[in-house]
Amino acid sequence: MTQILDWLLIFFGTIFSFYSFKRICFQKNCSVSNFIICIVYVFCILPIMLNYFIGIPEYNTVYWYKVFISSMENEAISCIYDLYIFFSITSLFIYASKFKPKDTRNDKFMFFNSKLFSKIIVLSPLIYILISGTLKNYMVYNTQSLRGFDINNSSYFTNLMALIFLSLFSYYSSFFKKEKKKKSDYIIFILYNFLIIWIVGKRFIFANIAITILYYLSQLDLKENIRKKIFKLVPIFLMILICFSGLYLKVVRPLSDTSFDSIYEMLRVDFGRDDVIKYTIEKELIQNERILEYRGETMLGLLCQIVPRKIWPEKPYPHYMYLTASLLNVSIFKLPAGTTPSYYEMAISNFGYFGIIFAIFTLVLLCYFADKSRSIDTKYIWTMLIVVLLTQSMDIYIIYIFIYALCKILEFMYNLKKIKI
């Protein structure tokens, strides 16, 4: 039964993601759900396919992930997982199929209309590095810890990443709105992306930039031949990203064991969320053991993320801390590392069985709210927030929520004639 459900998920998931990818490339102002379908396919369905072609990882390199093996090999858990992801991606696909593209405003948020202010925002990560006196640490390309930063003091990196996401948003929202681009614009485009990639030093920024570029391109009035090129180039870029990730683990941040099995395990950790979802299904639904202290704990923390901990000392911590603590069976304050969560497992941890229905429904609802936006930029923020919700921890992406909230306030005031553009 497990193999039948696995291959049904793989078959329909591949079809759904293919048609969604075609809509992204050839349909202007397509639904945000098309991007989400492709993300679900890469992180939740492609790993199931790899289980058959390469095998379930043994996690010898990352030994603390060995706890995943029992849940990944359990047939009952695999069946629940397959049905969970299948109904989710099917719901998203049905919604995307019924969505009718709307005209979006090709404008910028009001406080980015100032050219001087916009340039300061774009250069803010570099300015922050210069002011903090850490420029010497960036003479080599590597992760923050291997550049000599204190990983226990995360405030510097959190602030830097907030400025980087703000910079990316400001730069791309202005670059893709230029009707006529000069050669110098494209040279600056390449240099800017190289600088951001160098500063971050982690692979996720490649995917972040790729999604951003693909999103803005999908919103433009492009010729058919250009759209065909995009359709062909994106899969090639995805393969390059995977190859670079393998090279990164072998050269930039070399593992103690650089064999194929070791690199495959690490790539599964980076690009797969099936392991954490199945682990949560086993803990919460099969063994009836709680990952969180109470239901809705980290959902509450996520919604109240902007509330300072000084005001609310008992505010829940990011979800990945509770997940990792459960994996290692230690306190959340004694974590040696972090495990990347997924909204699918987060919903189950917070709401148990009801979390499955909750996750499926809210993902479609979030896509609906995103599609209601008539602004290209607001729609982009919604897209990135949903993508991050499915693949990463939300803590460093809170800047997007601030941007969205501030711009809605400005838009409201503008409609009341309280301010002028």
Side-chain angles (χ1 to χ4, degrees), residues 115-146:
K115 291 184 179 180
L116 176 61
F117 188 54
S118 181
K119 287 178 181 177
I120 292 174
I121 292 174
V122 169
L123 294 174
S124 60
L126 184 59
I127 295 171
Y128 181 69
I129 289 171
L130 292 173
I131 293 175
S132 62
T134 57
L135 183 62
K136 62 182 183 297
N137 297 77
Y138 292 91
M139 294 298 106
V140 294
Y141 176 74
N142 220 313
T143 60
Q144 303 302 310
S145 59
L146 295 178

Side-chain angles (χ1 to χ4, degrees), residues 108-109 111-112 117-125 158-174 192 196 205 208 212 216 377 380-381 396-404 406-407:
K108 293 175 68 177
F109 279 135
F111 64 101
F112 289 134
F117 188 54
S118 181
K119 287 178 181 177
I120 292 174
I121 292 174
V122 169
L123 294 174
S124 60
T158 301
N159 295 335
L160 178 62
M161 289 308 303
L163 292 175
I164 284 174
F165 292 136
L166 188 60
S167 172
L168 285 169
F169 172 77
S170 179
Y171 179 74
Y172 284 117
S173 69
S174 59
Y192 172 78
I196 293 296
I205 198 64
N208 197 299
T212 303
Y216 276 105
D377 294 326
Y380 164 73
I381 290 178
I396 62 173
Y397 290 85
I398 193 173
I399 187 66
Y400 283 136
I401 299 175
F402 276 113
I403 296 172
Y404 181 77
L406 177 58
C407 293

Side-chain angles (χ1 to χ4, degrees), residues 27-250:
Q27 186 183 86
K28 182 187 175 184
N29 301 333
C30 68
S31 171
V32 166
S33 56
N34 291 295
F35 287 90
I36 306 308
I37 288 169
C38 293
I39 292 296
V40 173
Y41 180 76
V42 172
F43 284 86
C44 298
I45 298 177
L46 194 58
I48 305 303
M49 191 186 301
L50 293 175
N51 287 346
Y52 287 94
F53 289 104
I54 300 179
I56 296 174
E58 297 180 359
Y59 294 118
N60 292 317
T61 305
V62 275
Y63 64 90
W64 60 88
Y65 286 164
K66 278 187 175 291
V67 68
F68 288 145
I69 296 177
S70 63
S71 57
M72 293 177 75
E73 292 178 342
N74 187 290
E75 292 192 2
I77 295 171
S78 294
C79 289
I80 296 172
Y81 174 87
D82 290 341
L83 292 171
Y84 186 15
I85 303 302
F86 175 78
F87 282 115
S88 179
I89 199 171
T90 302
S91 301
L92 289 166
F93 185 75
I94 292 171
Y95 169 76
S97 301
K98 293 183 177 181
F99 175 80
K100 294 181 180 179
K102 301 175 182 177
D103 291 330
T104 49
R105 297 193 306 269
N106 195 15
D107 59 0
K108 293 175 68 177
F109 279 135
M110 291 173 231
F111 64 101
F112 289 134
N113 283 347
S114 168
K115 291 184 179 180
L116 176 61
F117 188 54
S118 181
K119 287 178 181 177
I120 292 174
I121 292 174
V122 169
L123 294 174
S124 60
L126 184 59
I127 295 171
Y128 181 69
I129 289 171
L130 292 173
I131 293 175
S132 62
T134 57
L135 183 62
K136 62 182 183 297
N137 297 77
Y138 292 91
M139 294 298 106
V140 294
Y141 176 74
N142 220 313
T143 60
Q144 303 302 310
S145 59
L146 295 178
R147 279 171 168 165
F149 290 100
D150 181 10
I151 58 175
N152 295 319
N153 182 15
S154 61
S155 60
Y156 170 82
F157 187 63
T158 301
N159 295 335
L160 178 62
M161 289 308 303
L163 292 175
I164 284 174
F165 292 136
L166 188 60
S167 172
L168 285 169
F169 172 77
S170 179
Y171 179 74
Y172 284 117
S173 69
S174 59
F175 176 81
F176 285 104
K177 292 180 178 72
K178 284 186 179 179
E179 294 184 3
K180 294 182 180 179
K181 298 180 182 66
K182 303 175 183 177
K183 287 184 179 179
S184 59
D185 291 324
Y186 290 104
I187 293 173
I188 293 172
F189 178 83
I190 294 171
L191 292 174
Y192 172 78
N193 283 288
F194 177 79
L195 179 65
I196 293 296
I197 290 169
W198 186 275
I199 290 173
V200 174
K202 288 190 174 183
R203 289 158 292 163
F204 78 88
I205 198 64
F206 284 91
N208 197 299
I209 288 174
I211 293 171
T212 303
I213 293 174
L214 185 60
Y215 168 80
Y216 276 105
L217 286 174
S218 70
Q219 304 299 311
L220 301 179
D221 291 312
L222 301 177
K223 295 179 180 178
E224 187 72 14
N225 62 325
I226 297 178
R227 291 188 174 276
K228 287 181 179 178
K229 289 180 181 179
I230 295 172
F231 183 73
K232 294 177 182 177
L233 288 174
V234 172
I236 295 173
F237 174 81
L238 182 60
M239 293 303 299
I240 292 173
L241 177 60
I242 294 172
C243 292
F244 172 77
S245 296
L247 186 66
Y248 182 95
L249 295 170
K250 203 173 182 69

Side-chain angles (χ1 to χ4, degrees), residues 347-363:
I348 295 175
S349 295
N350 279 273
F351 305 116
Y353 286 99
F354 178 70
I356 293 176
I357 300 172
F358 179 84
I360 295 171
F361 175 75
T362 51
L363 279 177

Side-chain angles (χ1 to χ4, degrees), residues 277-339:
I277 299 171
K278 288 182 176 180
Y279 170 80
T280 305
I281 290 173
E282 181 179 37
K283 292 288 287 186
E284 293 279 347
L285 307 185
I286 305 299
Q287 298 177 355
N288 198 27
E289 296 179 9
R290 297 282 183 89
I291 291 176
L292 307 177
E293 293 180 10
Y294 56 87
R295 291 299 187 201
E297 183 177 12
T298 51
M299 283 292 183
L300 179 63
L302 180 62
L303 294 173
C304 301
Q305 197 169 12
I306 62 174
V307 179
R309 194 166 293 280
K310 289 183 179 180
I311 298 175
W312 185 13
E314 300 302 321
K315 185 181 74 171
Y317 289 90
H319 182 78
Y320 81 90
M321 296 179 68
Y322 298 94
L323 173 64
T324 310
S326 176
L327 290 172
L328 301 177
N329 195 25
V330 297
S331 167
I332 62 169
F333 304 108
K334 297 181 180 180
L335 301 178
T339 303

